[in-house]
Amino acid sequence: MENVLFICASPRKNGNTSEVLSECAEIIENHGLTTETIYLRGKNIESCKACGACAKLHRCHIDDGLNEIIEKIRESKGFIVGTPVYFGTARGDLMSTLQRIGYVSMNTDRFLSWKVGGPIAVARRGGQTATIQELLMFYLINDMIIPGSTYWNIVFGREKGEAIQVEEGMQTIRRFGENVANLIIKIA
């Protein structure tokens, strides 16, 4: 069975970002695929040092749990990240994670190529589009397939539970999930 891996960058357990990703995962699972979510909270993923050791090791030489995430990505057909937006950008731990994943992929077997997915950004009132643009750069440079939706993959909400009550944003996320699942099914 095809799998879609999610990374949730929210530091809050069961916060808005987590709830939005859960809804997206449910839509994907309704299409017969499996999903798994990895939460970055509690992990201490270091920034890439651009040492190039991954080219020889076929993994990152930093032993902080990222290699286990990379193995799950290698086995997946889809890869979606979700982040809350603080100060108009994606969380730093997510960017460190993605930069190292991308570096390992580019310096080894390009395992990200043809994975289907994209980013989701959740914020109280602004910064989501800049965050989506920032995260799309990761997907595009890694030869990944990004399906569209009815709007950008952004949702508004501040207090826990607010985001999933914003119907316009959730419609966008549901359609994105459908498009991810349908693309994986078509190219598998």
Side-chain angles (χ1 to χ4, degrees):
M1 184 164 300
E2 308 302 345
N3 186 46
V4 177
L5 186 72
F6 287 78
I7 289 184
C8 180
S10 177
R12 296 183 180 143
K13 187 174 184 178
N14 301 317
N16 283 319
T17 304
S18 178
E19 289 182 340
V20 169
L21 291 182
S22 291
E23 180 80 15
C24 187
E26 184 178 326
I27 296 297
I28 290 169
E29 289 169 2
N30 289 343
H31 284 76
L33 305 176
T34 61
T35 65
E36 179 182 356
T37 302
I38 295 173
Y39 298 89
L40 293 183
R41 78 174 162 274
K43 297 186 184 316
N44 292 307
I45 305 294
E46 293 183 36
S47 292
C48 182
K49 296 179 181 16
C51 66
C54 55
K56 293 177 186 163
L57 300 173
H58 294 274
R59 57 182 289 145
C60 185
H61 88 283
I62 301 170
D63 188 22
D64 60 3
L66 185 71
N67 286 313
E68 290 77 12
I69 295 171
I70 288 172
E71 286 311 308
K72 289 177 184 266
I73 295 169
R74 282 182 192 275
E75 296 166 6
S76 73
K77 294 291 183 184
F79 182 49
I80 296 171
V81 299
T83 184
V85 177
Y86 303 144
F87 301 99
T89 188
R91 285 186 42 87
D93 55 352
L94 177 61
M95 295 312 298
S96 291
T97 299
L98 293 179
Q99 288 164 2
R100 282 181 50 207
I101 290 167
Y103 209 84
V104 172
S105 179
M106 286 182 182
N107 284 307
T108 60
D109 58 351
R110 296 184 106 22
F111 60 86
L112 290 171
S113 183
W114 277 76
K115 298 241 186 265
V116 178
I120 295 172
V122 181
R124 177 176 70 128
R125 71 167 77 136
Q128 293 102 320
T129 54
T131 300
I132 289 293
Q133 291 168 347
E134 173 185 35
L135 293 170
L136 283 172
M137 301 302 278
F138 167 81
Y139 284 86
L140 293 169
I141 199 169
N142 283 294
D143 194 30
M144 299 174 80
I145 301 169
I146 310 158
S149 186
T150 56
Y151 197 71
W152 299 287
N153 297 340
I154 64 174
V155 184
F156 292 90
R158 179 180 184 179
E159 299 302 322
K160 184 177 177 181
E162 280 183 354
I164 60 170
Q165 294 175 18
V166 178
E167 189 53 34
E168 182 181 11
M170 293 311 298
Q171 272 184 324
T172 300
I173 299 308
R174 288 185 201 106
R175 182 62 177 182
F176 172 66
E178 287 176 8
N179 289 341
V180 167
N182 286 325
L183 269 171
I184 289 171
I185 291 165
K186 287 184 186 300
I187 65 175

